[in-house]
């Protein structure tokens, strides 16, 4: 018997996209509507709505969504601006970033769980503004300078634990 809670958690509004289990997408998906993935995706999935990853689904890429329900496999980081639900049949290999997280007993998450949503900023490589003339040595310090750590790094990342 399916519980009412389970039924409403997995419902998708009319007009949402759906990728059937017989379909494999090689490339990123960028949608402004909710969706359900039953097949395979090799690329990032971005939606401003709710995303349901079914038991038959496999996503090899990052997920960006407002709400997320995972029953299948995700190989990548997850960034959810509202609520993420990871079922007891789910496997997530990557960091989970969500404001609200429901994690069922038996779910597998191989990565960090954080309460923030935004992806970590990538270290910028400094640019050399001086002109380089052939035969002249290139300053190594400018190209190999490590990025300075953020002053409030602990304040930026909030962990669930």
């Amino acid at each position: 018997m399916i519980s009412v809670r389970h039924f409403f958690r997995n419902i998708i509004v009319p007009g949402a996209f759906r990728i059937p289990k017989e379909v494999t997408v090689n490339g990123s998906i960028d949608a402004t509507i909710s969706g359900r993935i039953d097949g395979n995706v090799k690329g990032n999935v971005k939606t401003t709505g709710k995303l349901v990853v079914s038991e038959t689904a496999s996503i090899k890429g990052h997920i960006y969504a407002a709400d997320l329900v995972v029953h299948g496999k995700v190989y990548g980081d997850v960034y959810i601006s509202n609520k993420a639900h990871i079922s007891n049949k789910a496997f997530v290999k990557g960091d989970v970033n969500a404001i609200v997280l429901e994690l069922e007993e038996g779910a597998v998450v191989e990565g960090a769980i954080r309460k923030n949503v935004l992806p970590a900023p990538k270290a910028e490589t400094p640019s050399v503004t001086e002109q380089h003339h052939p035969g002249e040595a290139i300053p190594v310090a400018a190209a190999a300078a490590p990025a300075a750590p953020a002053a409030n790094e602990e304040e930026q990342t909030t962990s669930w634990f």
Side-chain angles (χ1 to χ4, degrees):
M1 181 175 166
I2 292 180
S3 71
V4 174
R5 182 177 176 199
H6 183 266
F7 176 76
F8 282 109
R9 179 179 294 136
N10 295 309
I11 197 166
I12 294 295
V13 296
F17 74 88
R18 182 163 186 222
I19 298 175
K21 66 180 178 178
E22 299 84 12
V23 174
T24 298
V25 175
N26 289 315
S28 296
I29 297 172
D30 194 357
T32 57
I33 57 174
S34 297
R36 178 183 177 94
I37 298 176
D38 295 316
N40 300 307
V41 176
K42 295 176 183 174
N44 296 337
V45 179
K46 296 178 185 178
T47 179
T48 56
K50 180 178 181 178
L51 180 66
V52 176
V53 180
S54 76
E55 292 179 15
T56 60
S58 174
I59 298 175
K60 294 182 180 175
H62 303 307
I63 296 176
Y64 304 87
D67 295 299
L68 175 70
V69 177
V70 180
H71 297 288
K73 297 177 182 174
V74 176
Y75 301 92
D77 295 339
V78 176
Y79 301 96
I80 307 303
S81 60
N82 191 24
K83 184 177 181 179
H85 176 85
I86 301 176
S87 78
N88 59 355
K89 297 179 185 194
F91 174 79
V92 179
K93 185 169 183 145
D95 296 349
V96 177
N97 301 277
I99 300 300
V100 178
L101 175 66
E102 284 184 4
L103 191 64
E104 289 184 7
E105 184 177 350
V108 177
V109 176
E110 292 184 2
I113 296 175
R114 294 186 186 92
K115 198 170 185 176
N116 65 337
V117 176
L118 299 176
K122 302 198 185 235
E124 294 182 22
T125 55
S127 61
V128 179
T129 57
E130 298 177 19
Q131 277 191 343
H132 173 67
H133 298 287
E136 215 177 22
I138 299 174
V140 177
N152 298 328
E153 188 172 309
E154 288 183 13
E155 292 176 12
Q156 292 175 352
T157 305
T158 305
S159 177
W160 284 96
F161 300 105

